């Protein structure tokens, strides 16, 4: 297999269920980098929720944040940034407040995360998982000063998340509304997807889409799977996701990235 660059989702793919990096996954990344094969994390997370992971591993790599809305080089240079225009951000926040007031809204702009209540238990849980820190803010005031969101995220119960995805997609065709888990709904500009971020990164390196391998586990990885030369679903992915890719590997907890790369001869096996 001729792979020139590897892209990977984070939660449910690169990280285990308890948010760790397995020894096999860490080894796989280092082997790729030693072979001058770029490894790029592609996530709905903000940069400040990705860098603690790479810092712990002692690596400097490019990242695609906000599911393609913000693309950074390994030196943290911005290659691409796409925000939601003010009128749409205002409209969708108001729609959520009016119909689903029980959900938690998060407002991400650049490398900052804003919420209405930093003590919200859902916000505290996300802080524990990501190591990023939320800041209290009035969303209308942010919009008035031109601090537009790269992403709006809702945290809710699964039934509300599914309903919001369906209804908000219908109400706001100008926006990309997609679940990244059963409780998280990601909202970006319509032009944004993991595929758009990958396209920017491939152009940066001078690679073609067929040179790329992509690992993922959920619905917001579908565009990535369709765009890269070969998409690989993790063993823990929902069945509908597994059905749209050519290959399925082991679960995230079993080090599925490592398993696939070794099986296909991209890296050597770890001595055990």
């Amino acid at each position: 297999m001729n792979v020139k660059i590897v892209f990977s989702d984070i939660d449910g793919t690169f990280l285990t269920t308890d948010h760790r990096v397995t020894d096999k996954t860490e080894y796989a990344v280092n082997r790729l980098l030693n072979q001058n094969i770029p490894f790029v994390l592609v996530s709905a997370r903000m940069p400040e929720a990705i860098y603690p992971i790479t810092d712990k591993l002692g690596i400097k790599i490019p990242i695609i944040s906000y599911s393609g809305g913000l693309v950074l080089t390994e030196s943290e240079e911005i290659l691409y940034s796409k925000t939601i225009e003010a009128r749409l951000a205002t409209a969708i926040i108001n729609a959520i407040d009016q119909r689903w007031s029980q959900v938690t809204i998060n407002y991400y702009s650049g490398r900052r995360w804003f919420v209405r209540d930093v003590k919200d238990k859902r916000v505290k849980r996300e802080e524990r998982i990501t190591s990023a820190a939320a800041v209290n803010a009035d969303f209308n005031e942010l919009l008035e000063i031109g601090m537009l969101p790269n992403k709006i995220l809702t945290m809710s119960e699964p039934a509300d998340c599914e309903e919001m995805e369906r209804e908000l997609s219908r109400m706001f065709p100008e926006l990309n509304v997609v679940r990244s888990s059963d409780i998280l709904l990601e909202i970006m500009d319509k032009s944004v997807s993991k595929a758009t971020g990958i396209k920017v990164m491939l152009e940066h390196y001078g690679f073609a889409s067929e040179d790329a391998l992509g690992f993922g586990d959920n619905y917001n990885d579908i565009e990535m799977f369709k765009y890269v030369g070969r998409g690989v679903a993790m063993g823990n992915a929902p069945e509908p996701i597994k059905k749209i890719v050519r290959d399925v590997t082991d679960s995230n907890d079993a080090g599925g990235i490592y398993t696939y790369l070794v099986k296909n001869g991209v890296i050597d096996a770890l001595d055990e």
Side-chain angles (χ1 to χ4, degrees):
M1 180 180 295
N2 184 24
V3 175
K4 295 183 179 179
I5 187 169
V6 176
F7 295 91
S8 174
D9 171 57
I10 294 181
D11 296 287
T13 303
F14 188 70
L15 297 182
T16 61
T17 305
D18 57 355
H19 314 295
R20 295 181 300 103
V21 178
T22 69
D23 290 342
K24 287 183 176 180
T25 300
E26 181 176 359
Y27 167 83
V29 172
N30 282 309
R31 287 299 300 160
L32 290 171
L33 297 180
N34 288 340
Q35 294 169 206
N36 294 316
I37 298 175
F39 182 81
V40 184
L41 288 173
V42 188
S43 177
R45 290 184 179 215
M46 68 184 300
E48 270 56 36
I50 299 175
Y51 287 134
I53 300 169
T54 57
D55 288 347
K56 189 172 183 179
L57 295 176
I59 57 175
K60 284 286 187 181
I61 60 173
I63 65 168
I64 297 173
S65 184
Y66 302 135
S67 297
L70 182 62
V71 181
L72 302 172
T73 68
E74 63 272 18
S75 60
E76 303 181 23
E77 172 192 356
I78 297 175
L79 294 177
Y80 177 79
S81 178
K82 183 66 176 178
T83 56
I84 302 171
E85 60 179 278
R87 69 171 184 86
L88 285 172
T90 300
I92 200 163
I93 289 171
N94 288 341
I96 295 168
D97 283 339
Q98 291 167 13
R99 185 163 173 179
W100 298 281
S101 59
Q102 68 274 25
V103 311
T104 299
I105 302 176
N106 302 262
Y107 186 114
Y108 294 89
S109 181
R111 297 177 63 167
R112 302 189 70 185
W113 170 21
F114 300 102
V115 296
R116 288 167 168 160
D117 180 9
V118 294
K119 297 180 181 179
D120 184 309
K121 63 181 182 181
R122 292 166 173 159
V123 172
K124 301 307 290 184
R125 176 180 181 273
E126 187 73 2
E127 286 184 326
R128 288 193 298 272
I129 291 172
T130 65
S131 299
V135 177
N136 277 337
D138 182 306
F139 300 154
N140 288 327
E141 290 180 0
L142 296 176
L143 291 166
E144 286 173 3
I145 64 173
M147 187 173 284
L148 302 180
N150 292 89
K151 181 183 78 169
I152 294 169
L153 169 74
T154 67
M155 302 167 174
S156 67
E157 296 303 311
D160 287 332
C161 193
E162 182 177 358
E163 181 183 49
M164 284 192 296
E165 181 183 40
R166 181 177 63 253
E167 293 301 313
L168 293 174
S169 294
R170 178 185 59 80
M171 295 166 63
F172 296 93
E174 311 97 324
L175 296 174
N176 185 9
V177 181
V178 62
R179 282 175 289 168
S180 57
S181 79
D182 62 344
I183 61 172
L184 300 177
L185 188 69
E186 315 281 344
I187 303 166
M188 288 86 59
D189 181 83
K190 187 68 172 180
S191 66
V192 171
S193 73
K194 290 188 176 181
T196 62
I198 289 171
K199 182 176 185 292
V200 170
M201 192 62 71
L202 290 175
E203 289 174 351
H204 173 67
Y205 279 103
F207 296 148
S209 59
E210 54 264 29
D211 298 325
L213 178 65
F215 293 94
D217 77 302
N218 224 308
Y219 294 95
N220 66 338
D221 294 313
I222 291 175
E223 294 302 319
M224 173 176 68
F225 290 145
K226 291 179 178 178
Y227 186 74
V228 297
R230 187 178 294 259
V232 184
M234 307 302 288
N236 50 288
E239 288 304 316
I241 299 299
K242 293 178 181 178
K243 290 178 180 177
I244 67 172
V245 296
R246 181 189 300 182
D247 297 317
V248 177
T249 187
D250 288 341
S251 71
N252 57 329
D253 291 337
I257 293 175
Y258 165 88
T259 302
Y260 185 86
L261 294 174
V262 170
K263 181 180 178 180
N264 288 275
V266 181
I267 64 171
D268 296 329
L270 176 65
D271 292 333
E272 299 182 3

